[in-house]
Amino acid sequence: MIKIAHYFYEEFDRKFFDLLPDNIESIDNSCDSSVDLIYCSTIARLSDAFAAKVKYNKPLICWVWDIPYNWREWPMTPEDEKFAIPLDFPNLITILKNYCELVISASKNTQRVLREIFNVASEQIYFYADVDLSSVPSIETKDKSVIQISRFTPHKRFELGIDAVQDIEASLTCVGKNKNELYFKKLQAHAKRNVIFLHNISRERVITELTKAAVLIAPTIFEGFGLSPIEAISCGTPIVLNDMPVFREIYGDAAIYHKQDDVNDLQQKLMMVLDDVHLQKKIVKDCKQIIAPFTPKLFVKRWMKLLFH
């Protein structure tokens, strides 16, 4: 029997633990002397996991979604920074570099940032999309609706999507977790027409909204992996993404890209996709082949091989 102390924030971070073999037992967000190792699913919980390592002298493994190395270049107020950047960021890098027995990066881009900027070695495996369509009604014809899904933080660039739909026949649904009330109110004030905000909704509602949408956009200027585009493709919804390394790494030429922070280019790409049903189907078909390995069961195999072989 192997016992793991698992530190996480989001429920999806721990869901794959339910698929682990019967000889692996886990305890959530706590540790004791009986565990064999400590696994941290996010750098945001690394301080807690490290405290457990110090107390019980157990191996520490950390999964890293992304490292906001260039956050000072993001246009944020001091209030925004509190929500975007961990206050103990330098300490977290020190723990990753000197006290983790294994660091796992969510993408090759994150792996490169860890290595080249912070001198942190890591192994890389891709995560998964867990999309259940069994209770979602199928939609034959979609209207001209656009959706963006992410946390409501400035670097996700919800403003760009809002501006892009103002002069075209399309609506935008902004879906996310409202952790920054000030920024959320700014977004609401910024939205002029055809914009709906859905915050802190259920997982089932998110999948339903994704299935209904004609296009998902991801204008974020910083991303470590990006779950929402994978979920969109799983729901049969094409994607228009910011042209950034991590998205190019995963989707290559299969997705449609817009220039960073260029509302006119985003608007043009949206109109191109919204007006071309054949292009929509091609994007979904080509991207589905790419994300085919991103399933919970296959992730567990990759994860187990990395940790125990």
Side-chain angles (χ1 to χ4, degrees):
M1 179 67 69
I2 300 172
K3 190 171 183 180
I4 300 175
H6 185 197
Y7 287 81
F8 60 92
Y9 268 137
E10 305 290 347
E11 181 61 24
F12 74 82
D13 283 334
R14 75 159 304 281
K15 192 163 186 178
F16 77 91
F17 264 63
D18 295 335
L19 300 176
L20 295 179
D22 293 339
N23 67 333
I24 297 181
E25 178 187 355
S26 67
I27 55 177
D28 292 345
N29 292 318
S30 63
C31 188
D32 58 42
S33 59
S34 68
V35 306
D36 296 290
L37 63 90
I38 301 166
Y39 181 76
C40 187
S41 286
T42 169
I43 193 173
R45 292 305 304 269
L46 186 55
S47 294
D48 295 331
F50 178 62
K53 174 183 175 63
V54 171
K55 183 174 182 179
Y56 297 107
N57 191 29
K58 303 294 182 177
L60 173 59
I61 299 170
C62 185
W63 170 277
V64 180
W65 288 103
D66 51 44
I67 295 289
Y69 66 96
N70 60 345
W71 64 270
R72 294 188 183 278
E73 301 172 12
W74 304 350
M76 294 190 297
T77 66
E79 183 68 19
D80 292 332
E81 289 180 10
K82 292 193 302 183
F83 292 91
I85 309 301
L87 294 178
D88 56 348
F89 184 71
N91 292 334
L92 298 180
I93 298 300
T94 299
I95 296 171
L96 283 176
K97 186 175 182 179
N98 299 321
Y99 298 102
C100 287
E101 276 70 24
L102 174 64
V103 176
I104 309 174
S105 48
S107 66
K108 291 181 174 62
N109 187 64
T110 296
Q111 185 182 43
R112 178 190 62 78
V113 170
L114 284 168
R115 180 182 67 251
E116 295 181 1
I117 298 179
F118 299 106
N119 195 28
V120 174
S122 67
E123 298 289 339
Q124 188 272 318
I125 55 174
Y126 291 120
F127 204 65
Y128 61 88
D130 185 23
V131 177
D132 182 4
L133 298 175
S134 60
S135 60
V136 178
S138 60
I139 299 174
E140 296 298 327
T141 303
K142 301 185 180 187
D143 57 13
K144 292 187 176 182
S145 57
V146 182
I147 191 170
Q148 180 178 351
I149 303 175
S150 63
R151 290 173 291 122
F152 288 118
T153 58
H155 70 277
K156 297 298 185 180
R157 291 298 198 270
F158 277 94
E159 295 93 339
L160 203 71
I162 291 171
D163 290 340
V165 301
Q166 293 308 302
D167 300 323
I168 63 176
E169 293 301 318
S171 62
L172 173 66
T173 301
C174 300
V175 180
K177 293 188 176 181
N178 181 15
K179 295 185 177 181
N180 184 338
E181 189 66 30
L182 180 62
Y183 175 68
F184 186 66
K185 288 180 178 178
K186 288 179 182 178
L187 282 178
Q188 289 178 307
H190 187 75
K192 300 177 181 66
R193 60 182 291 274
N194 293 346
V195 179
I196 300 171
F197 291 94
L198 300 175
H199 55 91
N200 302 332
I201 61 176
S202 68
R203 173 68 176 169
E204 292 75 14
R205 177 75 184 280
V206 170
I207 299 304
T208 298
E209 294 296 328
L210 258 181
T211 304
K212 288 164 50 180
V215 180
L216 174 125
I217 59 172
T220 175
I221 61 170
F222 186 81
E223 190 64 72
F225 177 56
L227 285 170
S228 60
I230 298 172
E231 293 170 341
I233 295 299
S234 300
C235 294
T237 300
I239 53 180
V240 175
L241 311 174
N242 178 26
D243 195 351
M244 60 192 305
V246 69
F247 288 149
R248 287 282 183 179
E249 170 190 332
I250 295 172
Y251 301 101
D253 295 329
I256 301 296
Y257 300 94
H258 67 85
K259 298 175 184 176
Q260 180 168 304
D261 283 336
D262 189 326
V263 65
N264 293 325
D265 192 50
L266 173 57
Q267 187 178 79
Q268 290 174 11
K269 298 298 170 53
L270 274 177
M271 293 172 64
M272 179 180 70
V273 176
L274 288 169
D275 292 338
D276 192 335
V277 175
H278 295 293
L279 178 59
Q280 295 173 22
K281 292 180 178 179
K282 184 179 187 306
I283 295 169
V284 172
K285 179 183 177 181
D286 292 347
C287 288
K288 274 192 173 181
Q289 296 177 16
I290 293 171
I291 70 167
F294 299 165
T295 67
K297 288 184 178 180
L298 290 178
F299 173 79
V300 165
K301 288 184 178 180
R302 296 191 293 269
W303 190 85
M304 289 287 295
K305 183 178 180 180
L306 194 58
L307 267 67
F308 301 113
H309 291 85

